[in-house]
Amino acid sequence: MKPPLLLDCWNDIYRAGSASAGGKGWLLAKLARYGLPVPDTLVIPAEVEQTWLADLKIPSPEAQESDAELERFRQRLLTHPLPTTLIEALHDKLTSRGWQRRALAVRSSATAEDSSSASFAGIHQSCLNLVGAEALAAGIRTVWASRWTPRAIAYRRRFGFAGTPFAMAVVIMPMIPAQASGIAFTWDPLSGRDDRIILHAHWGLGEALVSGEASGDEIVLSENPFDDGLQLLRITPGDKSVMRVPISGGTRKQITPPDIAQTPVLDEPQALRLGELLRDAAIALDFRRPAFDLEWVWDSERFWLVQARPITALKHNTYPALREQPEIWSRGNTCEVTPYPLSVYDWFNSRRLINLMLEQPLASTAYPIHPGIQRAGLFEGRLYLNLSVMQWELHDAFGLPPKTINALIGGHQPEITVPRASLRQRIIRLSRLMGVSRRSRRIRKAAPEILRTAHNTAQQGREAAPPLEDAAILTRLTEQVRQTRQMKSLFYLQTKRVFDLMKDFGTSKSTKIDSIFDSLLVP
């Protein structure tokens, strides 16, 4: 059976997979299937390009011995006509959609592009604001020929694609009349924090930002750990001195009028609305690790998503002492508490609950917790704990050795390497131990009242009439999550085994003073 010349509905694009629709086309189809705002799109499958190349009998780009030879073949590709059958199929689709005189964007969608290991950002060509069949055909050839450039070949070699099958699909979509546009990261690549969204916004087309011609406004949103809602952290104005606007057959750089350049691209409500949309998109693509680089467009009425790719380079957000050590993940405890794969809702609740629970003994002693650190992970759908972080924090804060933490978790676990502590550090750690142990004893005495309050709150939630509207259901769930995550005393009771361990380590009332000083001499 012959492959189709065009994929013209999202279900077909999605079912074709990245091997046919390319990374860009397939990820857009995933977003569209979840109802996210993606412009209508046509995809020329990668198999069409391969057939076109076979007719030309041009060897692969990696087989070329010089840049001059590479450029000679690329020029042949730029002038070689498209298959008649493809031209006819495009004409039919453009006519049925009313796109004959509409400005179109033609984008690369290579089979390895926008994957988890390589993004190919800016490597292959895109053509904007193409109107008419002739301009569209030239744009398609330009995208296909962009594999035959020294930059593209160098990138494929660097990431190990030189000897693997590689083909190019093409994404065709209408140009959105962009009042503003930009790029966004749903996971801060510089700090490695998963609770930050970084927006870059500029007037006009996003090409000025992507190409580095201008710096737009940088907007940083943070996630509230108690209800996962977004809040504006800061806006850093960009110079926005030049912008890109569409012209016939492409785009043009122009000076941004001063009054517009000095105006923020997005106000706070717009930034928060866009942030929620971007986070929804990232979760739809990969809820386990929603780290994506997305391109967006604002048409003065709504936001559109026009591209998505995984972030392939993320800083490891951890304590300096752990940066050069292997990361240890364990189900020694969670395999009993949560033995089954987690739903999306349960995972997003667990990832914050675990942090809040494990931070309580640290925060109560003013220990400098590393900002935005994540102690929970999801692998094959199951919940794991970052044992490296737990070992370091309980050692650095309270002096507990890693093997003691392993005994708490259960099973035979690897241990991190910890430096020898000075006498001053051991005194500070012992002081923290004694303080947190006293606090835990007070809270455990109040346990009956704490548990009674928790049970009453849960009972009220169960007995309340369920909301009928989607917005009301979301409000109810958000409020219940907020109530649960703010029960700090309940978290102390959840970590009772930790405090029992601390007591055994030498901080109970029965501990003799000489035992305390003996512990100071232990590295």
Side-chain angles (χ1 to χ4, degrees), residues 134-447:
E134 188 174 333
L136 178 60
I140 294 168
R141 291 195 299 267
T142 299
V143 169
W144 280 343
S146 65
R147 286 175 53 204
W148 270 259
T149 63
R151 179 176 62 175
I153 292 174
Y155 188 93
R156 290 197 293 272
R157 286 173 177 165
R158 177 186 173 190
F159 287 94
F161 292 103
T164 58
F166 197 89
M168 180 75 77
V170 178
V171 169
I172 303 170
M173 65 171 59
M175 291 283 292
I176 303 297
Q179 177 175 317
S181 52
I183 57 178
F185 301 95
T186 59
W187 192 310
D188 186 356
L190 297 182
S191 69
R193 294 185 63 162
D194 69 346
D195 59 348
R196 295 283 188 269
I197 294 178
I198 313 299
L199 307 176
H200 295 275
H202 192 20
W203 300 112
L205 298 172
E207 192 180 4
L209 275 180
V210 174
S211 65
E213 293 175 340
S215 62
D217 297 340
E218 182 183 76
I219 304 167
V220 181
L221 306 177
S222 64
E223 188 180 78
N224 187 324
F226 296 108
D227 61 13
D228 295 336
L230 294 178
Q231 50 201 12
L232 179 64
L233 196 62
R234 66 176 180 273
I235 297 179
T236 304
D239 63 55
K240 304 189 290 288
S241 56
V242 297
M243 58 189 292
R244 281 275 171 178
V245 296
I247 59 172
S248 178
T251 67
R252 175 172 60 86
K253 182 171 72 172
Q254 70 176 35
I255 301 297
T256 308
D259 57 329
I260 296 178
Q262 294 168 13
T263 303
V265 177
L266 302 176
D267 59 24
E268 182 172 348
Q270 287 176 318
L272 292 174
R273 181 151 47 104
L274 175 58
E276 293 287 0
L277 171 62
L278 295 166
R279 187 169 60 171
D280 286 348
I283 292 170
L285 294 173
D286 184 359
F287 77 88
R288 180 190 69 87
R289 189 176 182 273
F292 284 84
D293 165 6
L294 297 117
E295 292 186 21
W296 57 270
V297 176
W298 168 248
D299 67 2
S300 78
E301 292 184 0
R302 65 183 302 193
F303 290 104
W304 296 89
L305 303 175
V306 296
Q307 186 163 303
R309 59 171 68 94
I311 301 174
T312 56
L314 277 171
K315 184 176 179 180
H316 185 197
N317 185 38
T318 192
Y319 290 92
L322 298 178
R323 288 201 181 120
E324 303 302 322
Q325 299 199 47
E327 202 167 35
I328 306 167
W329 291 92
S330 171
R331 270 181 60 77
N333 177 271
T334 60
C335 63
E336 300 171 355
V337 180
T338 55
Y340 302 110
L342 298 185
S343 68
V344 178
Y345 181 85
D346 286 336
W347 160 236
F348 270 82
N349 197 30
S350 297
R351 64 194 268 271
R352 290 298 170 232
L353 275 175
I354 286 172
N355 283 329
L356 290 169
M357 181 173 67
L358 295 179
E359 285 176 2
Q360 290 308 306
L362 302 166
S364 67
T365 63
Y367 174 77
I369 299 171
H370 189 79
I373 199 161
Q374 180 55 263
R375 300 167 185 83
L378 198 68
F379 302 95
E380 302 298 330
R382 283 161 169 89
L383 184 64
Y384 282 72
L385 298 178
N386 192 322
L387 192 56
S388 302
V389 172
M390 293 176 63
Q391 287 180 2
W392 174 257
E393 288 180 330
L394 292 176
H395 164 77
D396 193 43
F398 306 114
L400 300 180
K403 65 180 179 181
T404 305
I405 309 307
N406 285 350
L408 169 67
I409 296 295
H412 300 283
Q413 312 284 357
E415 297 176 14
I416 63 169
T417 301
V418 295
R420 184 180 180 87
S422 66
L423 177 62
R424 180 176 180 275
Q425 287 174 321
R426 294 199 290 273
I427 293 173
I428 292 173
R429 290 168 181 173
L430 179 62
S431 175
R432 288 197 188 110
L433 263 175
M434 296 175 68
V436 78
S437 182
R438 286 193 298 268
R439 178 174 173 78
S440 68
R441 284 198 299 271
R442 289 196 302 269
I443 291 176
R444 276 181 286 174
K445 285 180 182 179

